[in-house]
Amino acid sequence: MKLLQTKPSADGFAMPGEFEPHQATVMIWPVRPGTWREGAEPAQKVFAEIAGIIASQEKVYLLAGADVYQQVKKTFAAEGNIRVLEIETDDAWARDVAPTFVRRGGVVRGISWCFNAWGGEYDGLYADYISDDMAAERICEETGLECYDAYPFVLEGGAIHTDGEGTLVVTESCLLSAGRNPDLSKEEIEQRLKEYLGIQKIIWLPDGIYGDETNGHVDNMCAFTAPGEVVLAWTEDREDPQYALSQKALSVLERERDAKGRALKVKKLLIPKRPICIRAEHLETMTFAPGEMSRSDGDRLAASYVNYYVCNAGVLVPQFGDENDSAAVEVLQSCFPEKKIYPVETTEILLGGGNIHCITQQIPSTEHGREGGSL
């Protein structure tokens, strides 16, 4: 397909808030041996559960490579709202490799960023990411949506979060990392984000969640639940390395104003009380490719309840078998009182390096029909 070379903001497009209505969600079937243990079967069960919940409320596009396409299509044959697309990817992180979607009235378009596996040759997580880099364009082609070409600007969907009213929250540790756009200044990166996302104000948090392999994606740390309102990953344990990171983030959020001049209302969302670590038995059935980052017994995983996902009538909330699981459900229910909360045990996704938000990318609804796409 021919990619658009103009800038979305110049064309009147902007990124809506995640809590706004969707017409579809994009997911990818997990198979990568270096990410998912036991042939990915435990993770596939969780992905299927999540896809089923979302499909009860909106369409799901589920990507599968050629070698598993027929099997996955057969698995979901009875799910009328799940459409399996034969699109190759290198892993299953749909938030980061699928397009970022922008909207103008009744028209939705995608943005294809440059994807380099969270750091390229500098500190990327795997060496071969060509299929991931091509996925955004292929998704737009399959769904009939026009797509902007943002190459060579490196960005992942998990690195940005917007209120839908002109404010974006990001982390310096991620967007200013040496493996992303080292030739651009912070001001130049801001300008790119404003041009592509229709943003007027960017709030820079210093860091993400402790131990996050993505250099600290914001979607593990802070998220808008409504215009002017955010949740922030938090701990009261001064001995936890996350404590200082959350304190610094709160300091920024308390002094900043959004694009409308509002002070932000911050709700603290406790991380799991006990650190969740990968163990030797988890690693036994993982096979790492040449150039792929391996893991070690005892490595702490970036567990956070901020990595939830909002669908049209519900909120999927990660659960880790931790005593703070129920508190996370209560906080997010208070943020989304009109939605049903779906607690989902997602430790298997966490063992792969992410959580619910990381494996889902939303396609926003249109206000005036389906102009500009054939979803």
Side-chain angles (χ1 to χ4, degrees):
M1 69 181 297
K2 184 177 180 180
L3 296 177
L4 301 171
Q5 300 301 316
T6 55
K7 302 295 192 299
S9 62
D11 294 340
F13 285 79
M15 183 180 177
E18 182 168 321
F19 40 78
E20 298 182 43
H22 316 163
Q23 53 183 309
T25 294
V26 179
M27 296 181 65
I28 304 171
W29 194 241
V31 295
R32 188 178 180 91
T35 300
W36 311 106
R37 69 186 184 117
E38 298 180 19
E41 289 186 12
Q44 288 169 359
K45 292 179 181 178
V46 182
F47 274 60
E49 178 185 2
I50 291 169
I53 294 171
I54 298 172
S56 70
Q57 304 173 36
E58 60 199 66
K59 184 183 291 292
V60 174
Y61 291 105
L62 183 59
L63 279 57
D67 55 340
V68 297
Y69 171 71
Q70 291 297 336
Q71 172 194 339
V72 176
K73 190 173 181 181
K74 182 178 179 180
T75 298
F76 293 97
E79 292 279 1
N81 231 15
I82 298 178
R83 178 183 168 191
V84 182
L85 303 179
E86 187 178 339
I87 296 177
E88 297 290 341
T89 59
D90 298 296
D91 208 344
W93 308 114
R95 175 66 52 164
D96 292 344
V97 304
T100 296
F101 292 97
V102 289
R103 183 179 62 201
R104 183 193 66 201
V107 184
V108 172
R109 291 175 176 172
I111 301 172
S112 177
W113 311 104
C114 178
F115 179 80
N116 69 355
W118 310 276
E121 293 183 3
Y122 182 79
D123 61 354
L125 301 188
Y126 40 82
D128 184 0
Y129 43 81
I130 294 175
S131 294
D132 276 349
D133 191 32
M134 297 176 61
E137 182 179 347
R138 289 290 317 281
I139 291 166
C140 285
E141 187 174 28
E142 288 288 336
T143 56
L145 298 174
E146 292 185 295
C147 186
Y148 288 99
D149 183 8
Y151 190 88
F153 188 73
V154 177
L155 189 70
E156 309 93 35
I160 52 177
H161 210 282
T162 182
D163 66 349
E165 295 189 356
T167 307
L168 193 74
V169 62
V170 300
T171 67
E172 293 176 343
S173 62
C174 177
L175 268 64
L176 303 185
S177 65
R180 298 301 199 292
N181 301 288
D183 296 331
L184 297 180
S185 66
K186 182 177 181 179
E187 291 72 26
E188 289 170 326
I189 290 172
E190 279 208 0
Q191 185 59 31
R192 296 289 199 287
L193 295 172
K194 290 176 179 178
E195 290 174 343
Y196 279 97
L197 302 176
I199 296 299
Q200 291 82 52
K201 174 66 180 287
I202 299 175
I203 297 175
W204 292 83
L205 304 181
D207 303 286
I209 284 289
Y210 176 78
D212 191 339
E213 298 169 347
T214 65
N215 302 111
H217 270 183
V218 76
D219 70 350
N220 254 344
M221 185 68 164
C222 181
F224 284 103
T225 57
E229 301 180 12
V230 299
V231 287
L232 174 66
W234 192 257
T235 178
E236 299 288 355
D237 182 359
R238 292 176 177 268
E239 302 301 316
D240 192 304
Q242 182 59 41
Y243 182 83
L245 306 183
S246 293
Q247 289 284 337
K248 288 190 292 183
L250 180 62
S251 178
V252 172
L253 294 170
E254 287 181 333
R255 70 171 181 263
E256 285 281 6
R257 295 293 184 270
D258 67 13
K260 302 293 186 181
R262 294 172 294 214
L264 297 172
K265 297 178 182 177
V266 181
K267 285 190 176 182
K268 298 171 182 176
L269 199 53
L270 291 172
I271 62 173
K273 187 168 185 177
R274 57 175 181 82
I276 302 175
C277 302
I278 199 162
R279 298 300 182 195
E281 58 266 28
H282 301 139
L283 298 167
E284 288 175 355
T285 55
M286 292 182 180
T287 304
F288 300 102
E292 182 172 9
M293 188 200 76
S294 61
R295 297 179 175 129
S296 301
D297 181 25
D299 286 350
R300 176 165 165 167
L301 300 170
S304 169
Y305 301 103
V306 175
N307 214 279
Y308 61 86
Y309 183 64
V310 183
C311 42
N312 281 333
V315 182
L316 285 72
V317 180
Q319 302 283 272
F320 307 109
D322 187 87
E323 62 184 272
N324 285 343
D325 283 0
S326 58
V329 168
E330 291 176 8
V331 170
L332 289 169
Q333 184 68 84
S334 72
C335 295
F336 300 99
E338 77 288 357
K339 294 184 183 291
K340 180 178 179 179
I341 300 296
Y342 294 89
V344 181
E345 170 53 55
T346 52
T347 301
E348 285 297 334
I349 304 178
L350 183 63
L351 291 173
N355 219 289
I356 299 176
H357 195 265
C358 305
I359 67 169
T360 49
Q361 176 64 304
Q362 61 185 34
I363 303 178
S365 67
T366 60
E367 297 177 4
H368 307 292
R370 299 293 173 86
E371 178 190 355
S374 55
L375 300 180

